[in-house]
Amino acid sequence: MTSILPGEPVDLHLHTLASDGFWTVETLLNHLSERGFRVAAICDHDTMAAVAEAVDRGARHGLLVIPGVEVTTRWGERQWHLLVYGVDPALPRARLFRAVLDELADRMWAEAVSAVVTLERHGYRLRSLRKLTAGRPLRPYHVLLALIQEGYATNLATAHELTKRLGEPMTVDLPLERVVAAAHAAEGVCVLAHPGRDDATGRLTEDSLVQILAEVPIDGLEVHYRSHSPEQTAMFRRWCERYGLVASTGSDSHAPGHPVDPISYPAEWAAELLGRFGVEVAPSELPSGSYRGELMKGVPEDRVPG
């Protein structure tokens, strides 16, 4: 059991070069250690390739790294990103979850290869692709980044529109219910990522949450997130209390300053989730009313990079 104070910093949603981030594990862990973080979670998209190194480096820094992954799922005719915490893919009980990640990896590679062939056939030269992959497996986001690098698109959205116009949507996901079942079999905890972010598919509504819970036993919501308004944060916290869900905290940092650096969320805000991984958050010394008032406001302005 690890015991930490309620105000000590944690960030449970971070990305590295293993997916579409630009943090190396070493640089990210050094950054977190230098700023006094106590707990962090590496949650790369659809891969746990960086987790073992992060756990090892974290231990050397006195920083607990919770294994994580952000899985691309589908429910109700749209994609949902699912943060899965606490799975050890090396254990026998993770067999089904390993199969989930393996299938996603195979499909992403096939979609990316198909898109490259189509783009080249239409005259788009992706000379930067080799440098962008840097020896890693080819993924759709590498193709999109190459289109931006070569000047064919201005951002990920316009790059994706280009590939879709050519018949290459590069859309890869798996049913939410299958991913959650596999994660639970591996003793993982499943949290819907950034429910208040509008990714052109709409934000999570309470009606949708109720429908999801009726079909799929997710465990929590990412209540505290870099772009959630104070009103959204308060609303998601109420939903967690109402439906017996755990709350998570994440910056979704992909690189230094992009979109933000890791955020120093107080451990108390994710106490129940941390408790599932043997992290005991000491009771707050603040009066319950004042703490609740601070909590409902979301991340304080001085903790969020500009």
Side-chain angles (χ1 to χ4, degrees):
M1 177 70 73
T2 299
S3 182
I4 64 177
L5 297 174
E8 291 193 276
V10 305
D11 191 333
L12 304 179
H13 188 168
L14 300 163
H15 292 273
T16 75
L17 279 166
S19 64
D20 61 342
F22 291 90
W23 287 106
T24 66
V25 172
E26 179 180 11
T27 302
L28 177 57
L29 269 292
N30 286 342
H31 177 99
L32 295 170
S33 177
E34 290 166 2
R35 287 156 181 80
F37 280 79
R38 292 298 309 278
V39 184
I42 304 298
C43 295
D44 283 311
H45 290 281
D46 304 309
T47 179
M48 299 185 74
V51 167
E53 180 187 354
V55 169
D56 180 62
R57 287 187 179 275
R60 285 185 253 159
H61 284 291
L63 170 67
L64 175 65
V65 175
I66 296 173
V69 57
E70 186 173 8
V71 185
T72 310
T73 73
R74 179 164 293 274
W75 181 89
E77 305 304 318
R78 59 157 287 188
Q79 283 190 342
W80 301 86
H81 287 187
L82 184 75
L83 297 165
V84 178
Y85 297 111
V87 171
D88 184 344
L91 296 179
R93 65 173 179 251
R95 177 181 59 84
L96 294 177
F97 195 71
R98 288 196 303 270
V100 162
L101 296 184
D102 288 345
E103 181 175 338
L104 284 168
D106 289 345
R107 289 176 55 189
M108 285 190 295
W109 178 84
E111 289 286 319
V113 169
S114 177
V116 169
V117 171
T118 298
L119 286 163
E120 297 259 336
R121 190 170 66 243
H122 284 81
Y124 295 94
R125 299 290 176 252
L126 304 181
R127 300 174 184 85
S128 59
L129 196 56
R130 185 183 298 275
K131 182 178 180 180
L132 286 168
T133 56
R136 295 168 292 168
L138 179 66
R139 295 289 181 263
Y141 50 80
H142 294 136
V143 179
L144 300 179
L145 290 175
L147 286 168
I148 298 169
Q149 186 78 22
E150 302 293 345
Y152 299 124
T154 57
N155 53 41
L156 291 173
T158 56
H160 203 189
E161 284 302 318
L162 193 162
T163 64
K164 287 190 286 189
R165 285 199 306 270
L166 297 178
E168 298 289 349
M170 294 194 296
T171 302
V172 178
D173 49 50
L174 288 177
L176 177 64
E177 57 270 25
R178 176 184 166 191
V179 175
V180 170
H184 283 168
E187 299 186 4
V189 179
C190 301
V191 172
L192 276 185
H194 39 69
R197 196 177 81 184
D198 189 353
D199 295 320
T201 51
R203 302 176 179 88
L204 178 68
T205 66
E206 187 169 10
D207 284 345
S208 292
L209 176 60
V210 169
Q211 292 173 34
I212 290 172
L213 290 171
E215 300 176 19
V216 188
I218 62 169
D219 302 297
L221 300 176
E222 190 174 36
V223 170
H224 298 276
Y225 182 74
R226 66 165 192 265
S227 63
H228 286 174
S229 69
E231 293 77 17
Q232 286 178 313
T233 301
M235 178 177 66
F236 295 139
R237 176 67 63 171
R238 288 195 299 270
W239 293 359
C240 284
E241 294 173 351
R242 188 173 300 158
Y243 300 108
L245 302 173
V246 298
S248 188
T249 58
S251 65
D252 205 0
S253 177
H254 280 63
H258 180 74
V260 295
D261 284 337
I263 294 175
S264 302
Y265 295 101
E268 191 171 22
W269 292 0
E272 186 178 352
L273 175 60
L274 292 172
R276 298 198 182 190
F277 305 110
V279 180
E280 181 182 37
V281 180
S284 173
E285 295 181 359
L286 288 172
S288 59
S290 62
Y291 166 66
R292 185 171 181 83
E294 180 187 1
L295 181 65
M296 290 302 103
K297 292 178 183 177
V299 181
E301 289 184 2
D302 63 351
R303 299 194 188 202
V304 182

